[in-house]
Coordinates of all heavy atoms in Angstrom, one line a residue:
M1 N -2.7 11.7 48.0 CA -1.7 10.7 48.2 C -1.1 10.8 49.6 O -0.7 11.9 50.0 CB -0.6 10.8 47.1 CG 0.6 9.9 47.3 SD 1.8 9.7 46.0 CE 2.1 11.3 45.4
E2 N -1.0 9.8 50.3 CA -0.4 9.8 51.7 C 1.1 10.0 51.6 O 1.7 9.5 50.7 CB -0.7 8.4 52.3 CG -2.2 8.2 52.6 CD -2.7 8.9 53.8 OE1 -1.9 9.1 54.7 OE2 -3.8 9.3 53.7
P3 N 1.7 10.6 52.6 CA 3.1 10.8 52.6 C 3.8 9.4 52.9 O 3.2 8.6 53.5 CB 3.4 11.8 53.7 CG 2.2 11.7 54.6 CD 1.0 11.3 53.7
V4 N 5.0 9.3 52.4 CA 5.8 8.1 52.7 C 6.7 8.4 53.8 O 7.4 9.4 53.9 CB 6.6 7.7 51.4 CG1 7.5 6.6 51.7 CG2 5.7 7.4 50.3
F5 N 6.8 7.5 54.8 CA 7.7 7.6 55.9 C 8.6 6.3 55.9 O 8.2 5.4 55.3 CB 6.9 7.7 57.2 CG 6.2 9.0 57.4 CD1 4.8 9.0 57.1 CD2 6.8 10.1 57.8 CE1 4.1 10.2 57.2 CE2 6.1 11.3 57.9 CZ 4.7 11.3 57.6
F6 N 9.6 6.4 56.7 CA 10.5 5.3 56.9 C 10.5 4.9 58.4 O 10.4 5.8 59.2 CB 11.9 5.6 56.4 CG 12.0 5.8 55.0 CD1 11.7 7.1 54.4 CD2 12.3 4.8 54.1 CE1 11.8 7.3 53.1 CE2 12.3 5.0 52.7 CZ 12.1 6.3 52.2
V7 N 10.5 3.6 58.6 CA 10.6 3.1 60.0 C 11.8 2.2 60.1 O 12.3 1.7 59.1 CB 9.3 2.3 60.4 CG1 8.1 3.3 60.5 CG2 9.0 1.2 59.5
M8 N 12.2 2.0 61.3 CA 13.4 1.1 61.5 C 13.0 -0.2 62.2 O 12.5 -0.2 63.3 CB 14.4 1.9 62.4 CG 15.7 1.1 62.5 SD 16.9 2.0 63.6 CE 16.8 3.7 63.0
A9 N 13.3 -1.3 61.5 CA 13.0 -2.6 62.0 C 14.3 -3.0 62.7 O 15.4 -2.9 62.2 CB 12.7 -3.5 60.9
I10 N 14.2 -3.6 63.9 CA 15.3 -4.2 64.6 C 15.3 -5.7 64.3 O 14.2 -6.3 64.6 CB 15.2 -3.9 66.1 CG1 15.1 -2.4 66.4 CG2 16.4 -4.5 66.9 CD1 16.3 -1.6 65.8
L11 N 16.4 -6.2 63.8 CA 16.4 -7.6 63.4 C 17.4 -8.4 64.4 O 18.4 -7.9 64.7 CB 17.0 -7.7 62.0 CG 16.3 -6.8 61.0 CD1 17.0 -6.9 59.7 CD2 14.8 -7.3 60.8
G12 N 16.9 -9.6 64.7 CA 17.8 -10.5 65.4 C 18.3 -11.6 64.4 O 17.5 -12.1 63.6
C13 N 19.6 -11.8 64.4 CA 20.2 -12.6 63.3 C 21.1 -13.7 63.9 O 21.6 -13.5 65.1 CB 21.0 -11.8 62.3 SG 20.1 -10.4 61.6
G14 N 21.5 -14.7 63.1 CA 22.5 -15.6 63.5 C 23.9 -15.0 63.4 O 24.0 -13.9 63.1
D15 N 24.9 -15.8 63.7 CA 26.3 -15.4 63.8 C 26.7 -14.7 62.5 O 27.4 -13.7 62.6 CB 27.2 -16.5 64.1 CG 27.1 -17.0 65.5 OD1 26.9 -16.1 66.4 OD2 27.2 -18.2 65.8
A16 N 26.4 -15.2 61.4 CA 26.8 -14.6 60.1 C 25.8 -13.7 59.5 O 25.7 -13.5 58.3 CB 27.2 -15.7 59.1
Q17 N 25.0 -13.1 60.3 CA 23.8 -12.3 59.9 C 22.9 -13.0 58.9 O 22.4 -12.5 58.0 CB 24.3 -10.9 59.3 CG 24.9 -10.0 60.4 CD 25.1 -8.6 59.9 OE1 25.0 -8.3 58.7 NE2 25.3 -7.7 60.8
E18 N 22.8 -14.3 59.2 CA 21.9 -15.1 58.4 C 20.6 -15.4 59.2 O 20.6 -15.3 60.4 CB 22.5 -16.5 58.0 CG 23.8 -16.3 57.1 CD 24.5 -17.6 56.9 OE1 24.1 -18.6 57.6 OE2 25.4 -17.6 56.1
M19 N 19.6 -15.8 58.6 CA 18.3 -16.2 59.3 C 17.8 -15.0 60.2 O 17.5 -15.2 61.3 CB 18.5 -17.4 60.1 CG 19.0 -18.6 59.3 SD 17.8 -19.3 58.2 CE 16.6 -20.0 59.4
C20 N 17.8 -13.8 59.6 CA 17.4 -12.7 60.4 C 15.9 -12.7 60.6 O 15.1 -13.0 59.7 CB 17.8 -11.4 59.8 SG 19.6 -11.1 59.7
T21 N 15.4 -12.2 61.7 CA 14.0 -12.1 62.1 C 13.7 -10.7 62.6 O 14.4 -10.3 63.5 CB 13.6 -13.2 63.1 OG1 14.0 -14.5 62.7 CG2 12.2 -13.1 63.5
E22 N 12.7 -10.1 62.1 CA 12.3 -8.8 62.6 C 11.7 -9.0 64.0 O 10.7 -9.8 64.2 CB 11.2 -8.2 61.7 CG 10.8 -6.8 62.2 CD 9.9 -6.1 61.2 OE1 10.2 -5.9 60.0 OE2 8.8 -5.8 61.7
V23 N 12.3 -8.4 65.0 CA 11.8 -8.7 66.4 C 11.2 -7.4 67.0 O 10.4 -7.5 67.9 CB 13.0 -9.1 67.3 CG1 13.4 -10.6 66.9 CG2 14.2 -8.2 67.3
R24 N 11.5 -6.3 66.5 CA 10.9 -5.0 67.0 C 10.9 -4.0 65.8 O 11.6 -4.1 64.9 CB 11.7 -4.4 68.1 CG 11.6 -5.3 69.4 CD 12.4 -4.7 70.5 NE 12.4 -5.6 71.6 CZ 13.3 -5.6 72.6 NH1 14.3 -4.8 72.6 NH2 13.2 -6.5 73.6
V25 N 10.0 -3.0 66.0 CA 10.0 -1.8 65.1 C 10.1 -0.6 66.0 O 9.3 -0.4 66.9 CB 8.8 -1.8 64.2 CG1 8.7 -0.5 63.4 CG2 8.7 -3.0 63.3
E26 N 11.0 0.3 65.7 CA 11.1 1.5 66.5 C 9.9 2.4 66.2 O 9.3 2.4 65.1 CB 12.4 2.3 65.9 CG 13.7 1.8 66.5 CD 13.9 2.3 67.9 OE1 14.1 3.5 68.1 OE2 14.0 1.4 68.8
P27 N 9.4 3.1 67.3 CA 8.2 3.9 67.1 C 8.3 5.1 66.3 O 7.4 5.7 65.8 CB 7.8 4.2 68.6 CG 9.1 4.1 69.3 CD 9.9 3.1 68.6
T28 N 9.6 5.6 66.1 CA 9.8 6.8 65.4 C 9.7 6.6 63.9 O 10.1 5.6 63.3 CB 11.2 7.3 65.7 OG1 11.4 7.5 67.1 CG2 11.5 8.7 65.0
R29 N 9.0 7.6 63.2 CA 8.9 7.6 61.7 C 9.9 8.7 61.2 O 9.9 9.7 61.8 CB 7.5 7.8 61.3 CG 6.6 6.7 61.7 CD 5.2 6.7 61.1 NE 4.7 8.1 60.9 CZ 3.5 8.3 60.3 NH1 2.7 7.3 60.0 NH2 3.1 9.5 60.1
Y30 N 10.5 8.4 60.1 CA 11.5 9.3 59.5 C 11.0 9.7 58.2 O 10.5 9.0 57.4 CB 12.9 8.6 59.4 CG 13.4 8.1 60.7 CD1 13.1 6.8 61.1 CD2 14.1 8.9 61.6 CE1 13.5 6.3 62.4 CE2 14.5 8.4 62.8 CZ 14.3 7.1 63.2 OH 14.7 6.6 64.4
A31 N 11.3 11.0 57.9 CA 10.9 11.6 56.6 C 11.8 11.1 55.4 O 11.3 11.0 54.3 CB 10.9 13.1 56.6
T32 N 13.0 10.7 55.7 CA 13.9 10.3 54.7 C 14.7 9.0 55.1 O 14.8 8.8 56.3 CB 15.0 11.3 54.3 OG1 15.9 11.5 55.4 CG2 14.3 12.7 53.9
I33 N 15.1 8.3 54.2 CA 15.9 7.1 54.4 C 17.2 7.5 55.1 O 17.7 6.7 56.0 CB 16.2 6.2 53.2 CG1 16.8 4.9 53.5 CG2 17.1 6.9 52.2 CD1 15.8 3.8 53.9
Q34 N 17.8 8.6 54.8 CA 19.0 9.1 55.4 C 18.9 9.3 56.9 O 19.7 9.0 57.7 CB 19.6 10.3 54.6 CG 20.0 10.1 53.2 CD 18.9 10.1 52.2 OE1 17.7 10.4 52.5 NE2 19.2 9.8 51.0
Q35 N 17.7 10.0 57.2 CA 17.5 10.2 58.7 C 17.3 8.9 59.4 O 17.8 8.7 60.5 CB 16.2 11.0 58.8 CG 16.3 12.4 58.4 CD 15.0 13.2 58.4 OE1 13.9 12.5 58.4 NE2 15.0 14.5 58.4
C36 N 16.7 7.9 58.8 CA 16.5 6.6 59.4 C 17.9 5.9 59.6 O 18.2 5.5 60.7 CB 15.6 5.8 58.6 SG 15.2 4.2 59.3
R37 N 18.7 5.9 58.6 CA 20.0 5.3 58.7 C 20.9 6.0 59.8 O 21.6 5.3 60.5 CB 20.7 5.3 57.4 CG 20.0 4.3 56.4 CD 20.7 4.3 55.1 NE 20.0 3.3 54.2 CZ 20.1 3.4 52.9 NH1 20.7 4.4 52.3 NH2 19.4 2.5 52.1
A38 N 20.8 7.3 59.8 CA 21.6 8.1 60.8 C 21.2 7.7 62.2 O 22.1 7.8 63.1 CB 21.5 9.5 60.5
A39 N 20.0 7.4 62.4 CA 19.5 7.0 63.8 C 19.8 5.6 64.2 O 19.5 5.2 65.3 CB 18.0 7.3 63.9
A40 N 20.2 4.8 63.3 CA 20.4 3.3 63.6 C 21.4 3.0 64.7 O 21.0 2.2 65.6 CB 20.9 2.6 62.3
P41 N 22.5 3.7 64.8 CA 23.4 3.3 66.0 C 22.8 3.5 67.3 O 22.9 2.7 68.2 CB 24.6 4.3 65.8 CG 24.7 4.5 64.3 CD 23.2 4.6 63.9
A42 N 22.1 4.6 67.5 CA 21.4 4.9 68.8 C 20.3 3.9 69.0 O 20.1 3.4 70.1 CB 20.8 6.3 68.8
A43 N 19.5 3.5 68.0 CA 18.5 2.6 68.1 C 19.0 1.2 68.5 O 18.5 0.5 69.4 CB 17.7 2.5 66.8
L44 N 20.1 0.8 67.9 CA 20.7 -0.5 68.2 C 21.2 -0.5 69.7 O 21.0 -1.5 70.4 CB 21.9 -0.8 67.3 CG 21.4 -1.2 65.9 CD1 22.7 -1.2 65.0 CD2 20.7 -2.4 65.8
A45 N 21.7 0.6 70.2 CA 22.1 0.7 71.6 C 20.9 0.5 72.5 O 21.1 0.0 73.7 CB 22.8 2.0 71.8
R46 N 19.7 0.8 72.1 CA 18.5 0.7 73.0 C 18.0 -0.8 73.0 O 17.1 -1.1 73.8 CB 17.4 1.6 72.5 CG 17.6 3.1 72.7 CD 16.4 3.9 72.5 NE 16.0 3.9 71.1 CZ 16.5 4.7 70.2 NH1 17.4 5.6 70.5 NH2 16.0 4.7 68.9
H47 N 18.5 -1.6 72.1 CA 18.0 -3.0 72.0 C 19.0 -4.0 72.3 O 19.0 -5.2 71.8 CB 17.4 -3.2 70.6 CG 16.2 -2.3 70.3 ND1 15.0 -2.5 70.8 CD2 16.1 -1.1 69.6 CE1 14.1 -1.6 70.4 NE2 14.8 -0.7 69.7
T48 N 19.9 -3.7 73.2 CA 21.0 -4.7 73.6 C 20.4 -5.8 74.5 O 21.1 -6.8 74.7 CB 22.1 -4.0 74.3 OG1 21.6 -3.3 75.5 CG2 22.8 -3.0 73.4
D49 N 19.2 -5.7 74.9 CA 18.6 -6.8 75.7 C 18.1 -8.0 74.9 O 17.8 -9.0 75.4 CB 17.4 -6.2 76.5 CG 16.2 -5.8 75.5 OD1 16.5 -5.1 74.5 OD2 15.1 -6.1 75.8
L50 N 18.2 -7.9 73.6 CA 17.7 -9.1 72.7 C 18.8 -10.2 72.8 O 20.0 -9.9 72.7 CB 17.5 -8.6 71.3 CG 16.4 -7.6 71.1 CD1 16.4 -7.0 69.7 CD2 15.0 -8.3 71.4
S51 N 18.3 -11.4 72.8 CA 19.3 -12.5 72.9 C 19.5 -13.2 71.6 O 19.1 -14.3 71.3 CB 18.7 -13.6 73.9 OG 17.5 -14.0 73.5
Y52 N 20.2 -12.5 70.7 CA 20.6 -13.0 69.4 C 22.1 -12.7 69.3 O 22.6 -11.7 69.8 CB 19.9 -12.2 68.2 CG 18.4 -12.6 68.1 CD1 17.4 -11.9 68.8 CD2 18.0 -13.6 67.2 CE1 16.1 -12.2 68.7 CE2 16.7 -13.9 67.1 CZ 15.7 -13.2 67.8 OH 14.4 -13.6 67.7
P53 N 22.8 -13.5 68.5 CA 24.2 -13.3 68.3 C 24.5 -11.9 67.7 O 25.5 -11.3 68.0 CB 24.7 -14.4 67.5 CG 23.7 -15.5 67.6 CD 22.4 -14.8 67.9
V54 N 23.7 -11.5 66.7 CA 23.8 -10.3 66.0 C 22.5 -9.5 66.0 O 21.5 -10.1 65.7 CB 24.3 -10.5 64.5 CG1 24.4 -9.2 63.8 CG2 25.6 -11.3 64.5
I55 N 22.5 -8.3 66.3 CA 21.4 -7.4 66.2 C 21.7 -6.4 65.1 O 22.8 -5.8 65.1 CB 21.1 -6.7 67.5 CG1 21.0 -7.7 68.7 CG2 19.9 -5.8 67.4 CD1 19.8 -8.6 68.6
S56 N 20.7 -6.2 64.2 CA 21.0 -5.2 63.2 C 19.7 -4.4 63.0 O 18.6 -4.7 63.5 CB 21.4 -5.8 61.9 OG 20.4 -6.7 61.4
A57 N 19.8 -3.3 62.2 CA 18.6 -2.4 61.9 C 18.5 -2.3 60.4 O 19.5 -2.3 59.7 CB 18.9 -1.1 62.5
A58 N 17.2 -2.2 60.0 CA 16.9 -2.1 58.6 C 15.8 -1.0 58.5 O 14.8 -1.1 59.1 CB 16.5 -3.4 58.0
C59 N 16.1 0.0 57.6 CA 15.1 1.0 57.4 C 14.2 0.6 56.2 O 14.7 0.0 55.2 CB 15.7 2.3 57.0 SG 16.7 3.0 58.4
R60 N 12.9 0.7 56.4 CA 12.0 0.4 55.3 C 10.8 1.4 55.2 O 10.6 2.1 56.2 CB 11.4 -1.0 55.5 CG 10.7 -1.2 56.8 CD 10.1 -2.6 56.9 NE 9.6 -3.0 58.2 CZ 8.4 -2.7 58.7 NH1 7.6 -2.0 58.0 NH2 8.1 -3.1 59.9
R61 N 10.2 1.4 54.1 CA 9.1 2.3 53.9 C 7.9 1.9 54.7 O 7.7 0.7 54.9 CB 8.6 2.3 52.4 CG 9.6 3.0 51.6 CD 9.1 3.0 50.1 NE 10.2 3.6 49.3 CZ 10.0 4.2 48.2 NH1 8.8 4.3 47.7 NH2 11.0 4.7 47.5
D62 N 7.1 2.9 55.2 CA 5.9 2.6 55.9 C 4.9 3.6 55.5 O 5.1 4.8 55.6 CB 6.2 2.8 57.4 CG 5.0 2.4 58.3 OD1 4.5 1.3 58.2 OD2 4.6 3.3 59.0
G63 N 3.8 3.2 55.0 CA 2.7 4.1 54.6 C 2.2 3.7 53.2 O 2.6 2.8 52.6
M64 N 1.2 4.5 52.8 CA 0.5 4.2 51.6 C 1.2 5.0 50.5 O 1.5 6.1 50.6 CB -1.0 4.7 51.7 CG -1.8 4.3 50.6 SD -2.2 2.5 50.5 CE -3.6 2.5 51.5
E65 N 1.3 4.3 49.3 CA 1.9 4.9 48.1 C 0.9 4.7 47.0 O 0.2 3.7 47.0 CB 3.2 4.3 47.7 CG 4.4 4.9 48.4 CD 5.7 4.4 47.9 OE1 5.8 4.4 46.6 OE2 6.5 3.9 48.6
V66 N 0.9 5.6 46.0 CA 0.1 5.4 44.9 C 1.0 5.0 43.7 O 2.0 5.8 43.4 CB -0.7 6.6 44.5 CG1 -1.5 6.4 43.2 CG2 -1.7 6.9 45.7
A67 N 0.8 3.9 43.1 CA 1.6 3.5 42.0 C 1.4 4.3 40.7 O 0.5 5.1 40.7 CB 1.4 2.0 41.7
V68 N 2.2 4.1 39.7 CA 2.2 4.9 38.5 C 0.8 4.9 37.9 O 0.3 5.9 37.4 CB 3.3 4.4 37.5 CG1 3.2 5.2 36.2 CG2 4.7 4.6 38.1
R69 N 0.2 3.8 37.8 CA -1.1 3.7 37.2 C -2.3 3.9 38.1 O -3.4 3.6 37.8 CB -1.3 2.3 36.5 CG -0.2 2.2 35.4 CD -0.5 1.1 34.5 NE 0.5 1.2 33.4 CZ 0.7 0.2 32.6 NH1 0.1 -1.0 32.8 NH2 1.7 0.3 31.7
G70 N -2.1 4.5 39.3 CA -3.1 4.8 40.2 C -3.6 3.7 41.1 O -4.6 3.8 41.7
V71 N -2.9 2.6 41.1 CA -3.3 1.5 42.0 C -2.6 1.7 43.3 O -1.4 1.9 43.4 CB -2.9 0.1 41.4 CG1 -3.2 -1.0 42.3 CG2 -3.5 0.0 40.0
A72 N -3.3 1.7 44.4 CA -2.7 1.9 45.7 C -2.0 0.6 46.2 O -2.5 -0.5 46.0 CB -3.8 2.2 46.7
A73 N -0.9 0.8 46.8 CA -0.1 -0.4 47.3 C 0.3 0.0 48.7 O 0.8 1.1 49.0 CB 1.1 -0.6 46.5
L74 N 0.2 -0.9 49.7 CA 0.6 -0.7 51.1 C 2.0 -1.2 51.2 O 2.2 -2.4 50.9 CB -0.4 -1.3 52.0 CG -0.1 -1.1 53.5 CD1 -0.2 0.3 53.8 CD2 -1.1 -1.9 54.3
H75 N 2.9 -0.4 51.7 CA 4.3 -0.9 52.0 C 4.4 -1.0 53.5 O 4.1 -0.1 54.2 CB 5.3 0.1 51.5 CG 5.3 0.2 50.0 ND1 6.1 -0.7 49.3 CD2 4.6 0.9 49.1 CE1 5.9 -0.4 48.0 NE2 5.0 0.5 47.9
G76 N 5.1 -2.0 54.0 CA 5.4 -2.1 55.4 C 4.6 -3.1 56.0 O 4.4 -3.9 56.6

């Protein structure tokens, strides 16, 4: 089974954080969701060049997981 990592997607959103679009993905992979979330403020500071009213970050799984019944599913 492949290890599960988390990556941080940088999202560009409208004024009310509606209609968000993934515009970038940070190159760093994190071992836990907590590590990913802790890195979000610094990551957002690196992406101030984006021309959206609101920029946000979302941590998501990246990598191969094996489901309960042995069927492989790709996340990310």
Side-chain angles (χ1 to χ4, degrees):
M1 176 167 45
E2 293 283 326
V4 174
F5 293 99
F6 294 87
V7 294
M8 187 181 314
I10 304 300
L11 307 172
C13 306
D15 287 326
Q17 289 193 347
E18 297 173 354
M19 304 287 293
C20 294
T21 302
E22 184 178 301
V23 291
R24 295 181 182 155
V25 175
E26 282 281 293
T28 306
R29 295 187 331 175
Y30 303 92
T32 68
I33 191 85
Q34 293 83 4
Q35 290 173 342
C36 183
R37 288 178 180 157
L44 288 171
R46 289 191 294 274
H47 296 282
T48 57
D49 63 313
L50 295 171
S51 59
Y52 288 87
V54 177
I55 305 298
S56 63
C59 296
R60 60 177 167 81
R61 289 181 185 208
D62 183 58
M64 189 70 88
E65 275 188 49
V66 176
V68 176
R69 295 196 176 159
V71 177
L74 182 61
H75 292 275

